[in-house]
Amino acid sequence: MQAKPCHILIPTDFPSPIKLPRFHRIPSPAKIKIPRVASISTPDSTSHAPGRRTALETVDDSVAAFWDYQFLFVSQRSETAEAETLRVIDGAIPSDFPSGTYYLTGPGLFADDHGSTVHPLDGHGYLRAFRIDAVSREVRFMARYVKTEAQVEEHDPETNSWRFTHRGPFSVLKGGKRLGNVKVMKNVANTSVLRWGGKLLCLWEGGDPYEIEPGTLDTTGRFDHMIDGCDSLMDNRSNCGDPWDIAAGLLKPILHGVFKMPPKRLLSHYKIDVKSHRLITTSCNAEDMLLPRSNFTFYEYDENFKLLQRQEFNIPDHLMIHDWAFTDTHYILFANRIKLDVIGSMAAVCGLSPMISALSVNPSKSTSPIYLLPRFPGKSSSNRNWRVPVEAPSTMWLLHVGNAYEAKDVNGNLQIQIHASICSYQWFNFKKLFGYDWQNNKLDPSIMNVKEGGDELLPRLVQVYINLDADGTCQKSSVEPLNQWSKTTDFPVINPDFSGNKNKYVYAASSSGSRQTLPHFPFDTVVKLDLSDKSIHTWTVGARRFIGEPIFVSNGREEDDGYLLVVEYAVAIQRCYLVILNPKRIGKADALVARLEVPKHLNFPLGFHGFWAKDI
């Protein structure tokens, strides 16, 4: 029988030579049967409507799965000089869709011109903006790199060439300086985006945000007002008798002077309290990465970016926090516990592994500490000692929070509920996230697709209950699968108008599990969980297509009045689409409202987090 041709679309900037690495739990290249007739080509200029799948998209084997995964993280070097109108290929922009802009940030560049690749978390921030006009019912698209200090140093705009000089926390440079390279804190502003107080900001896990001009996406510069002037390099409020304070005092000038780490590192996740119209952010101290204690400072701003309050908490545990929660009376930290790795530290210092190798997860407890920090200490009637955590009966690493809220009964008893995505300590590995391997310039999809125990190890949704009596004593805590949904799932979101309030619906990115070699990630399904009746509704993009984080656009009084926005990545044909879904119809054949095609030359890699900014 004659073998069918296997068409693989290779981007022009993909690292060469092309070589398949050995898979873990996925057949090695020697065992993958590749058809005799194979063509490697770039995409043609034909537009592809999802309703008309090409023959290429029907191929689904180990080779196709491997390359689909690679294509989700292909660099995009082009930027828009001016906005481009997207072509509607399915449905139409609804007449009641509000005018506004969907901002999506994430890495844009993974390989330079000198042999180095970087971990997706170290990729330079690439801001995408979908401007939706309710009058003309058009969507105009722009995309620009965030001109951080590292981006300006590593990019030559005249030749459009790149040379990586910063190690970054998660990468190893193959074609750059490794030993003695102290450029570790590579602020790439690629993790989240926020529009608040008239400012458009791109945030990163560990440095100041960068301010962006909303109309042009030009970078204005670092926005250093998120951490107020009270935070100085040498904080003399420390107790000099505490040995860890002495160690912190010695580390601060080294970390700042040698490694250029800011004294306080702003976390990339923020919260908006819709009741009080406040923006809430948090930071941790630079030296916390190296000491068995953690200092978190919470800031609350009004709608004009005026600082309303600032609180600092010293927690006697070594933690790494990416996301967190808030309620009317608490800030909530899930204790993702870490420890120093001596062997990893030596390899990192020698440039043989990423700097993050100096740390490893610490699953030494059978429970998960959850810290309930008083948001307004002077107004609290509880005598609870916030330094004593609630011990949740599950060992879990928190990834993202969808929502949290609290309710108090007539006797003063308080129940707190948190909806979040978690994973196992056994699976979570800093340097291997996304399957990064700096030595062969490829990503190993098996890291994100473990087959044995995947449902228990990989990201999943949970509901956490905490019951406190009137004195603040924990009477009960529990962790349960959200609606008993067991598929790999992350990026939980809700209608933002209900943030901090009791919500009925949770939306998230999930996996249908339909692909044998990519059963868990990348995601291909939007899931809607109804918490009132425990029902589950899904919408799936189909073969060889993936999605990112969904965003809810509120447009009415009911909780599911509005629309969902999500980007669809048709990797097999190198296309991106902006998809509009009707939340009320998720699970029905008519859930799709519209699909718009991003021009071929602006096809972009997987984004991280987005923000919907409605026109005022």
Side-chain angles (χ1 to χ4, degrees):
M1 181 180 294
Q2 185 177 1
K4 295 180 180 180
C6 175
H7 300 275
I8 301 177
L9 309 181
I10 305 298
T12 56
D13 72 336
F14 207 80
S16 296
I18 296 171
K19 181 166 56 178
L20 292 172
R22 184 176 294 276
F23 279 71
H24 175 63
R25 292 197 181 100
I26 296 178
S28 63
K31 297 180 180 180
I32 296 176
K33 295 182 179 180
I34 302 178
R36 295 179 181 178
V37 183
S39 66
I40 298 177
S41 60
T42 56
D44 59 33
S45 59
T46 305
S47 295
H48 301 274
R52 299 188 298 274
R53 304 296 185 192
T54 65
L56 178 63
E57 291 182 282
T58 64
V59 177
D60 187 11
D61 53 24
S62 296
V63 176
F66 175 82
W67 286 111
D68 284 355
Y69 193 85
Q70 308 307 308
F71 293 160
L72 195 58
F73 299 93
V74 170
S75 300
Q76 171 54 276
R77 299 193 176 201
S78 298
E79 301 177 277
T80 55
E82 56 185 27
E84 299 204 21
T85 301
L86 301 190
R87 188 173 71 91
V88 179
I89 60 172
D90 272 327
I93 305 295
S95 58
D96 65 340
F97 201 101
S99 291
T101 304
Y102 167 41
Y103 297 102
L104 174 65
T105 192
L109 192 84
F110 307 96
D112 70 0
D113 298 301
H114 300 274
S116 289
T117 57
V118 293
H119 191 289
L121 296 179
D122 284 332
H124 283 295
Y126 189 69
L127 181 61
R128 290 139 269 198
F130 298 87
R131 163 69 182 158
I132 301 178
D133 190 320
V135 178
S136 64
R137 296 171 70 183
E138 290 183 336
V139 178
R140 295 179 63 79
F141 175 75
M142 294 190 70
R144 301 287 298 276
Y145 273 99
V146 183
K147 304 300 189 293
T148 64
E149 293 178 7
Q151 195 273 350
V152 171
E153 178 178 321
E154 296 185 342
H155 178 237
D156 183 346
E158 293 186 3
T159 62
N160 197 26
S161 61
W162 297 79
R163 177 188 289 273
F164 294 149
T165 57
H166 291 66
R167 290 183 63 176
F170 297 93
S171 307
V172 175
L173 301 186
K174 199 171 183 179
K177 184 179 179 182
R178 288 157 57 185
L179 183 63
N181 189 340
V182 297
K183 294 181 178 181
V184 176
M185 297 308 290
K186 182 179 181 178
N187 187 340
V188 287
N190 71 358
T191 310
S192 63
V193 58
L194 164 71
R195 190 162 183 177
W196 184 265
K199 306 289 185 181
L200 177 62
L201 305 173
C202 286
L203 293 83
W204 176 69
E205 199 86 307
D208 290 331
Y210 274 78
E211 183 178 354
I212 308 297
E213 202 287 313
T216 62
L217 300 190
D218 288 337
T219 302
T220 302
R222 286 194 309 116
F223 186 75
D224 57 4
H225 305 297
M226 299 286 278
I227 298 179
D228 66 288
C230 296
D231 299 325
S232 60
L233 176 61
M234 296 300 293
D235 193 341
N236 295 321
R237 295 172 297 170
S238 300
N239 180 1
C240 295
D242 188 325
W244 296 124
D245 285 335
I246 296 173
L250 295 173
L251 285 170
K252 283 182 179 181
I254 297 174
L255 295 175
H256 181 74
V258 178
F259 293 96
K260 308 302 180 185
M261 294 185 184
K264 287 189 177 292
R265 302 186 301 107
L266 190 72
L267 302 190
S268 60
H269 279 282
Y270 53 84
K271 306 296 172 184
I272 295 177
D273 186 339
V274 295
K275 295 178 184 177
S276 60
H277 305 286
R278 291 187 175 195
L279 169 69
I280 311 173
T281 65
T282 187
S283 68
C284 60
N285 290 3
E287 69 275 9
D288 289 350
M289 300 290 286
L290 304 174
L291 299 177
R293 70 173 194 184
S294 303
N295 295 272
F296 292 95
T297 306
F298 289 85
Y299 312 83
E300 300 203 17
Y301 303 89
D302 68 9
E303 293 174 302
N304 297 313
F305 256 120
K306 178 183 177 182
L307 181 66
L308 300 177
Q309 71 176 42
R310 172 189 183 277
Q311 288 194 82
E312 186 166 357
F313 301 90
N314 186 303
I315 296 175
D317 204 350
H318 202 179
L319 309 179
M320 177 173 284
I321 305 300
H322 174 61
D323 202 358
W324 49 281
F326 82 98
T327 64
D328 291 343
T329 60
H330 291 91
Y331 308 118
I332 303 175
L333 295 180
F334 284 67
N336 293 344
R337 304 180 70 239
I338 59 174
K339 59 184 177 180
L340 282 175
D341 186 319
V342 177
I343 296 177
S345 298
M346 291 188 292
V349 170
C350 295
L352 301 176
S353 68
M355 285 301 296
I356 199 67
S357 302
L359 301 173
S360 62
V361 299
N362 181 16
S364 60
K365 302 184 69 173
S366 60
T367 58
S368 291
I370 301 176
Y371 289 90
L372 304 179
L373 310 177
R375 188 174 167 190
F376 306 105
K379 299 180 181 180
S380 175
S381 59
S382 170
N383 296 320
R384 176 178 175 78
N385 182 359
W386 60 262
R387 293 177 178 82
V388 179
V390 171
E391 297 290 348
S394 174
T395 304
M396 54 185 174
W397 183 277
L398 182 118
L399 297 172
H400 295 107
V401 173
N403 192 33
Y405 59 90
E406 62 184 35
K408 183 179 289 188
D409 66 19
V410 293
N411 297 316
N413 300 312
L414 189 71
Q415 183 184 75
I416 298 174
Q417 291 191 39
I418 306 115
H419 306 142
S421 61
I422 65 167
C423 68
S424 166
Y425 274 76
Q426 285 69 31
W427 171 77
F428 192 83
N429 186 306
F430 296 119
K431 63 180 181 180
K432 290 186 178 181
L433 285 176
F434 298 106
Y436 173 70
D437 186 345
W438 65 272
Q439 293 177 311
N440 64 20
N441 291 352
K442 301 292 185 296
L443 299 174
D444 181 356
S446 69
I447 301 299
M448 306 293 287
N449 288 281
V450 293
K451 292 187 176 181
E452 297 179 6
D455 290 341
E456 297 180 358
L457 298 175
L458 295 169
R460 59 195 185 279
L461 297 183
V462 296
Q463 185 164 257
V464 180
Y465 293 92
I466 300 174
N467 293 327
L468 306 177
D469 64 19
D471 292 327
T473 303
C474 182
Q475 299 298 312
K476 182 182 178 181
S477 65
S478 63
V479 180
E480 302 174 0
L482 199 59
N483 282 24
Q484 300 302 313
W485 177 251
S486 61
K487 298 286 189 181
T488 304
T489 308
D490 199 1
F491 303 122
V493 299
I494 66 167
N495 181 334
D497 291 348
F498 287 76
S499 178
N501 297 282
K502 183 176 182 179
N503 59 294
K504 181 179 179 180
Y505 304 110
V506 174
Y507 308 87
S510 188
S511 175
S512 66
S514 61
R515 301 190 68 172
Q516 289 188 349
T517 46
L518 298 175
H520 303 295
F521 184 84
F523 300 127
D524 62 1
T525 297
V526 174
V527 60
K528 175 184 180 181
L529 305 178
D530 187 328
L531 307 182
S532 63
D533 61 12
K534 305 301 180 183
S535 61
I536 299 168
H537 313 274
T538 62
W539 176 85
T540 302
V541 288
R544 301 188 70 179
R545 294 178 179 233
F546 306 123
I547 64 163
E549 174 194 61
I551 288 290
F552 194 96
V553 178
S554 179
N555 193 36
R557 301 183 65 178
E558 298 295 325
E559 188 179 335
D560 59 352
D561 283 344
Y563 297 95
L564 282 171
L565 297 177
V566 68
V567 171
E568 176 181 327
Y569 303 87
V571 290
I573 57 175
Q574 298 281 294
R575 292 290 190 278
C576 289
Y577 303 92
L578 177 66
V579 173
I580 303 176
L581 299 174
N582 182 345
K584 294 180 180 292
R585 305 300 296 172
I586 298 294
K588 306 294 184 181
D590 58 349
L592 178 68
V593 176
R595 186 186 265 113
L596 300 97
E597 185 180 60
V598 175
K600 164 191 158 184
H601 67 284
L602 294 173
N603 181 71
F604 53 77
L606 180 67
F608 286 160
H609 294 293
F611 185 85
W612 168 255
K614 184 178 180 179
D615 287 355
I616 300 176

